[in-house]
Amino acid sequence: MKATDERVVIGMDPHKRSVTIEVMAADEEVLGGGRFGTDTAGFKSMLEYVTRWPDRVWAIEGCNGIGRHVALRLLAEGHEVVDVPPKLSARARVFATGQGRKTDATDAHSVALVGTRMAGLRPVVHDEQLAVLRLLVDRRSSLGDDHTRMISQLHQLLLELIPGGAKKDLSAAQAKALLARVRPRDVVGKARRRVAAELVADLERVYARKKAADKELKELLAATGTSLMDLHGIGPSGAARLLVEVGDITRFPNREHFASWNGTAPIDASSGDNVRHRLSRAGNRQINRTLHIMATVQLRNDTEGRAYFDRRKNDGKTSMEAMRALKRRLSNIEVPPGP
C-alpha cells in the first residue's frame, strides 16, 4: 500500500454501520483500501488511514441515499466529495469483472473506477437551505403517503358499512358526516365503525400537518428566490422536490441532458431502416412524477400546455404520445437552451 503525491480517487461502498473503500491512482493502479466502521472510532481510523494520500477526492456511491450520512461527515471535515450514481458503478462492475457478482470490495472497486474515469461527476456540497428543504419535502411526501393509505382503508370500511360506499374524493369532514348516520347493531359492524372513526380522526391530523408543511415549504421557497411556483401545475412540494433533486441546474449542459436525466427524453430504438423511439423508464422518477403532475394539471385547465397537447393530437399523436411530448416540453422550461 504505497503512498503517492499524485491525486488519487477513494471509491467508497457505503452502508449504515460500515464502509468499504479502495484507493486508486490516475492510471487505475489500486494503492490500498479496507473496511471501516461508521462510528466515531471507525471514521477517525479511516481518515488516519488516507492521510498518506494528501491529494485525494472521495467518490461515494449514492450520496442522495445511503451514502449521504458519510458524505456529509466528510464535507464537514473539509474533504472533496463527488457522487457516483449506482447505475454507473453497476456498469463498471460488470465490465471490470465480467459478471455482476456483488461484494463490498468489488463495489468499492467499481466506484473507484467510475471516479477515476468519468469527468463531470456531481460534486457534493452542503447547502443548508437545500438540506432543510429536503427534510421538509420528504416529510411532506410521507404525509401524503399516510393520507393515501388511510383513505384506502377508510373506503374499504365505508363500503362494508354503507351500501355502495362513499364517493372517490372524500374529505375527513365528509367521512365523519357519513359515519354519523351509520348505526350498526352487530358486534362486527360496531367495531368496523369505531375503526373508521379512528381513521377519520387520524386523517384530520394528517390534513392539519400537510397544511402546516405546505405553508412552511412556501416560506422556504420564497426565501430561495425561485420562480418555480409561478409555473402552472407546480405546488410547494413539486417545487421543493425539483430544487433538492436538481441542485445546481448549470450542471446540465443543455435541455437534452436534463431530459435524459429526468426520463422525459425518448430512447432511440431504431434498427436498420426502421426508425423508432420508445418510452424511457430510466431517469429520476421523482422529478418525472413532478413533471407528470404538472402536465396533468395543465390539461385540466385552459393553458398553453393544453393547447400544445391538442396540437399534438391533431398531428396524429395518441393521447399517451401527446402526454409524453408535453412532459418533455415542460422539462425544457427548467433548463435554458444550450450553446
Side-chain angles (χ1 to χ4, degrees):
M1 298 183 184
K2 67 178 182 179
T4 177
D5 293 332
E6 299 177 354
R7 188 172 180 81
V8 300
V9 171
I10 305 177
M12 178 187 292
D13 176 44
H15 296 278
K16 182 178 179 180
R17 293 185 175 87
S18 69
V19 297
T20 301
I21 66 172
E22 180 174 283
V23 184
M24 183 174 288
D27 60 359
E28 299 184 9
E29 178 187 0
V30 177
L31 304 176
R35 182 184 179 90
F36 301 88
T38 56
D39 56 5
T40 302
F43 187 74
K44 181 180 179 181
S45 176
M46 181 178 67
L47 293 185
E48 290 175 350
Y49 175 77
V50 301
T51 53
R52 67 191 76 182
W53 300 285
D55 190 5
R56 57 185 177 267
V57 57
W58 296 80
I60 302 179
E61 184 181 54
C63 287
N64 282 335
I66 189 59
R68 186 187 307 167
H69 69 105
V70 69
L72 293 179
R73 292 172 70 181
L74 288 169
L75 286 176
E77 295 285 340
H79 295 263
E80 181 182 352
V81 181
V82 295
D83 180 25
V84 175
K87 286 186 178 180
L88 284 182
S89 59
R91 292 171 186 168
R93 182 175 62 251
V94 172
F95 291 141
T97 64
Q99 38 75 28
R101 191 174 302 161
K102 280 175 60 64
T103 66
D104 291 347
T106 56
D107 283 350
H109 180 67
S110 62
V111 173
L113 284 174
V114 174
T116 303
R117 296 173 178 176
M118 296 290 294
L121 291 174
R122 183 175 68 90
V124 181
V125 296
H126 183 48
D127 187 320
E128 291 187 350
Q129 196 174 45
L130 286 183
V132 172
L133 267 179
R134 180 180 292 277
L135 286 171
L136 294 181
V137 75
D138 286 345
R139 174 58 177 158
R140 176 61 177 81
S141 178
S142 177
L143 289 171
D145 292 340
D146 290 342
H147 169 264
T148 301
R149 174 179 53 81
M150 292 176 187
I151 282 290
S152 297
Q153 293 175 344
L154 185 58
H155 271 293
Q156 180 182 357
L157 291 170
L158 290 176
L159 182 60
E160 296 169 341
L161 287 168
I162 304 171
K167 66 175 185 176
K168 182 178 179 180
D169 298 322
L170 184 68
S171 68
Q174 291 167 339
K176 182 182 290 187
L178 288 174
L179 284 176
R181 299 196 295 268
V182 177
R183 290 291 184 268
R185 297 180 180 274
D186 60 304
V187 175
V188 176
K190 290 178 180 179
R192 190 174 287 127
R193 185 188 183 281
R194 175 174 57 81
V195 173
E198 291 174 355
L199 276 173
V200 171
D202 291 341
L203 274 174
E204 289 177 330
R205 286 191 289 270
V206 168
Y207 281 137
R209 289 173 181 170
K210 284 171 60 179
K211 186 176 180 180
D214 285 339
K215 180 180 179 182
E216 189 171 10
L217 281 175
K218 285 181 180 178
E219 294 172 352
L220 287 172
L221 288 168
T224 66
T226 180
S227 60
L228 287 172
M229 290 285 290
D230 297 334
L231 301 176
H232 194 95
I234 290 190
S237 295
R241 181 62 66 189
L242 276 166
L243 285 180
V244 300
E245 294 295 330
V246 172
D248 182 10
I249 194 67
T250 60
R251 67 190 177 96
F252 300 102
N254 51 51
R255 292 171 169 176
E256 289 71 26
H257 193 282
F258 181 63
S260 178
W261 177 79
N262 63 43
T264 57
I267 297 176
D268 189 358
S270 303
S271 178
D273 294 333
N274 182 20
V275 179
R276 59 181 291 270
H277 295 79
R278 65 176 178 85
L279 174 67
S280 172
R281 299 289 184 183
N284 188 303
R285 304 317 297 171
Q286 295 191 80
I287 298 303
N288 193 283
R289 180 176 181 270
T290 299
L291 293 171
H292 185 84
I293 293 173
M294 183 181 179
T296 302
V297 173
Q298 290 204 7
L299 290 182
R300 293 173 181 169
N301 300 275
D302 185 15
T303 62
E304 185 179 344
R306 178 77 227 191
Y308 176 79
F309 178 87
D310 292 338
R311 290 198 301 271
R312 297 312 299 263
K313 287 288 295 292
N314 293 334
D315 291 339
K317 299 293 185 182
T318 65
S319 294
M320 293 298 294
E321 289 172 338
M323 181 63 158
R324 291 198 290 268
L326 175 57
K327 287 171 63 177
R328 173 59 187 275
R329 184 181 177 91
L330 296 177
S331 170
N332 290 345
I333 297 175
E334 312 296 333
V335 182

